[in-house]
Amino acid sequence: MIGSYVAVGDSFTEGVGDPGPDGAFVGWADRLAVLLADRRPEGDFRYANLAVRGKLLDQIVADQVSRAVELAPDLVSFCAGGNDILRPGTDPDEVAERFEEAVAQLTAAAGTVLVTTGFDTRRVPLLKHLRGKIATYNGHVRAVADRYGCLVLDLWSLRSVQDRRAWDADRLHLSPEGHTRVALRAGLSLGLKVPADPEQPWPPLPPRGTLEIRRDDVHWAREYLVPWIGRRLRGESSGDHVTAKGTLSPEDIRSWIAKVA
């Protein structure tokens, strides 16, 4: 019975793409916290989401891992290194060494550590050329999990997120439904009974013509790709002025979900 949970990571764990109230996001980790809280007496569950979008592994370790160690929760989810892997010239072997150092800190303080693999990006236009690099990093993540007794949230094998409806308009972050399916998969990774199958088939979509696809690609490039490249050239991060959500109550998360559902 998990009575406390701390989520550590970047935009994926912050919940970007899953809008909540007042410009905040909900996301899979918050949704998982509700699943966990539902198995405890009301008010007998503590949760904090420390994740901030755009953060690199070393920044996550400095700002979040130390805080998670202080809180010493029953469960920590740790997803980090993805933004490092996206950077040109980074070595997944070297990133994994620093990832392992952080896992060692977390497993010494938390009851259970849940680590995540990266997604299979074969259908993500901006990231499909990084598929081999991501797969290499995933292999390291699994090896580290074996060495330290961590649970693994396997996102590479989650077939339902290969559907474009699982992704936000920016094609980099999950949609609300995508986050929901990851939360369900995370619950299964923890041995929970979950209310739905994360691999439940999507309803069929009407076929799209070549002109429609091209129009969507042009819109995406103008609205998302060009600004993303611009931030990289300027050395800026989407999380430069973002504060972590911090401590959240499951009741508040439920109300957020209900408002935007």
Side-chain angles (χ1 to χ4, degrees), residues 82-93:
N83 287 324
D84 299 73
I85 297 300
L86 294 181
R87 297 290 174 105
T90 53
D91 180 357
D93 300 333

Side-chain angles (χ1 to χ4, degrees), residues 160-187:
S160 61
V161 297
Q162 293 299 319
D163 190 287
R164 61 186 172 89
R165 286 168 288 184
W167 295 89
D168 187 43
D170 67 5
R171 304 185 185 181
L172 286 173
H173 300 99
L174 293 173
S175 66
E177 180 63 21
H179 277 284
T180 298
R181 289 176 184 250
V182 169
L184 294 170
R185 171 61 72 89

Side-chain angles (χ1 to χ4, degrees), residues 65 69 78 97-110 113 144 148 150:
V65 169
V69 168
F78 181 49
E97 291 178 3
R98 292 183 282 122
F99 177 87
E100 182 167 358
E101 293 171 0
V103 168
Q105 295 180 54
L106 291 171
T107 53
V113 176
V144 169
Y148 290 87
C150 303

